[in-house]
Amino acid sequence: MINLYKKARLLYTWACTSTKTTAAIDVTNSCNLKCSHCYWWKEERPPELDDHAMVSFMKDLRAQGMTAAIIYGGEPMMRPGMCAAASRIFDHPLIFTNGTQGFSSIDAQWILSLDGTREVHDSIRGTGTYDAAVANLRKAPRKPVVHATITQQNRHDLEAFLEALSGLPIKGVGFSFYTPHKHGAEDSLAIPIAERGAILDELLGMRKKYWRIMGLTTTMANQFRQDGEFSAWNSIEKCPVSKVCNCYNADGTPKPCTYGHSADCSHCGCASIPLYRAAIRHLDPLALFMIYRMVN
Ligand code: SF4
Ligand code: SF4
């Protein structure tokens, strides 16, 4: 009952106030992978806080009213102690992971990054990474949510990917489109915005078969579409993530976006914004249900 109240309070705060209750924290600069679509290993970054300073930093954020935390890296499970600390400090911890380092028994919701079937995923994230992540997923103490980033590398793999996921113990799968960075080195990976609609239609067409896991609704898809509501939020001034969430580097300094300093808002493909806008602005019941299940 207390948990239900806390979730309801978080949703109310997101929807009806300008109070920032969410912190997105890079708890480490380390990662064991070098994924082709990741900006992380291509940027310079400040040295990370040591364990004592990171715990103090997180406690300070909680004392300032940040009840929800999204834990990123690098790979957060390169510092499992900091994941455990975040789970104790925050009411609603979400931890993004590549899954290769396992899932510990802490009180947090895991978001597992998988980007396709074995062959496609491994071509993006490295040989053996799919099998390692799925083997760990099968042993996870609670069902993760899967997050997939759609790029030119996996756009034709989505149905086979959903078929593979449908046999796994997961809560569901959400989709982002790859967000290019302003330096543009990886732009060849991005799906042109005008082509998003066909991919979204393909996914929506698979909802009947994969309803148990499909984390996309018509209202959410409309947020990504060029002829939908995309232009209502695709700038740093209008971005809802910036409104409800503060983002921090691993040294505790602020950064403008979870995607780093140079993300191209005009081509943003972040899954959390369609979910947020569908749930909070449009009261899409399925999107609200997804948030309810995802928030710890
Ligand atoms: S696992 Fe995550 S942080 Fe590491 S290289 Fe891949 S996308 Fe980047
Ligand atoms: S790139 Fe970042 S700041 Fe820009 S719209 Fe997307 S989530 Fe918001």
Side-chain angles (χ1 to χ4, degrees):
M1 200 62 187
I2 291 172
N3 202 23
L4 182 63
Y5 167 73
K6 284 182 176 175
K7 288 186 187 194
R9 189 180 59 182
L10 181 67
L11 280 172
Y12 170 80
T13 314
W14 281 350
C16 304
T17 78
S18 54
T19 312
K20 290 205 177 182
T21 51
T22 307
I25 308 164
D26 297 337
V27 291
T28 179
N29 284 333
S30 301
C31 185
N32 58 323
L33 303 185
K34 205 172 179 183
C35 307
S36 58
H37 60 348
C38 182
Y39 74 94
W40 185 260
W41 50 270
K42 298 167 189 163
E43 289 187 347
E44 293 276 320
R45 55 198 68 258
E48 61 193 36
L49 298 174
D50 65 24
D51 286 2
H52 179 76
M54 181 62 79
V55 169
S56 297
F57 176 63
M58 291 194 285
K59 284 182 174 172
D60 281 349
L61 292 175
R62 181 64 186 84
Q64 291 164 30
M66 302 280 182
T67 59
I70 309 170
I71 304 301
Y72 293 104
E75 166 51 49
M77 281 299 280
M78 300 299 281
R79 286 183 89 179
M82 294 302 97
C83 294
S87 78
R88 290 191 297 270
I89 293 167
F90 298 103
D91 297 350
H92 311 288
L94 293 173
I95 305 178
F96 276 74
T97 180
N98 63 40
T100 60
Q101 304 301 299
F103 299 86
S104 54
S105 300
I106 57 177
D107 191 15
Q109 178 62 55
W110 298 96
I111 311 291
L112 169 62
S113 297
L114 292 176
D115 292 323
T117 52
R118 179 187 291 112
E119 189 182 344
V120 172
H121 179 90
D122 282 6
S123 72
I124 296 168
R125 291 182 176 259
T127 304
T129 54
Y130 182 88
D131 283 345
V134 168
N136 288 327
L137 157 65
R138 291 186 189 281
K139 294 181 287 190
R142 60 190 289 180
K143 289 181 181 176
V145 172
V146 167
H147 172 255
T149 302
I150 302 173
T151 72
Q152 296 289 2
Q153 291 172 289
N154 61 6
R155 64 182 293 177
H156 300 298
D157 188 48
L158 297 174
E159 182 159 14
F161 180 45
L162 283 165
E163 182 62 30
L165 290 181
S166 65
L168 295 176
I170 61 170
K171 283 186 177 173
V173 53
F175 297 92
S176 287
F177 285 96
Y178 168 73
T179 300
H181 281 227
K182 285 176 185 145
H183 46 72
E186 332 69 339
D187 274 7
S188 61
L189 293 177
I191 307 290
I193 292 166
E195 293 176 26
R196 286 180 175 180
I199 295 170
L200 293 163
D201 289 341
E202 183 189 341
L203 286 170
L204 290 174
M206 290 187 268
R207 274 187 306 174
K208 198 167 176 186
K209 187 168 179 189
Y210 300 110
W211 61 271
R212 186 186 71 79
I213 56 171
M214 178 63 81
L216 183 74
T217 69
T218 304
T219 311
M220 288 164 65
N222 199 38
Q223 308 305 311
F224 277 135
R225 294 183 194 272
Q226 190 172 37
D227 58 354
E229 296 189 27
F230 186 54
S231 62
W233 58 265
N234 68 344
S235 70
I236 193 80
E237 295 77 25
K238 293 184 282 188
C239 170
V241 170
S242 307
K243 287 201 173 64
V244 302
C245 178
N246 283 347
C247 306
Y248 300 97
N249 294 301
D251 69 343
T253 55
K255 61 179 185 176
C257 169
T258 56
Y259 289 135
H261 294 269
S262 59
D264 179 359
C265 295
S266 69
H267 288 76
C268 181
C270 177
S272 58
I273 299 175
L275 177 61
Y276 174 88
R277 284 180 56 90
I280 303 295
R281 290 186 69 90
H282 296 284
L283 298 179
D284 176 350
L286 274 175
L288 280 163
F289 181 63
M290 285 176 212
I291 290 182
Y292 175 78
R293 288 194 82 206
M294 194 164 72
V295 170
N296 200 42

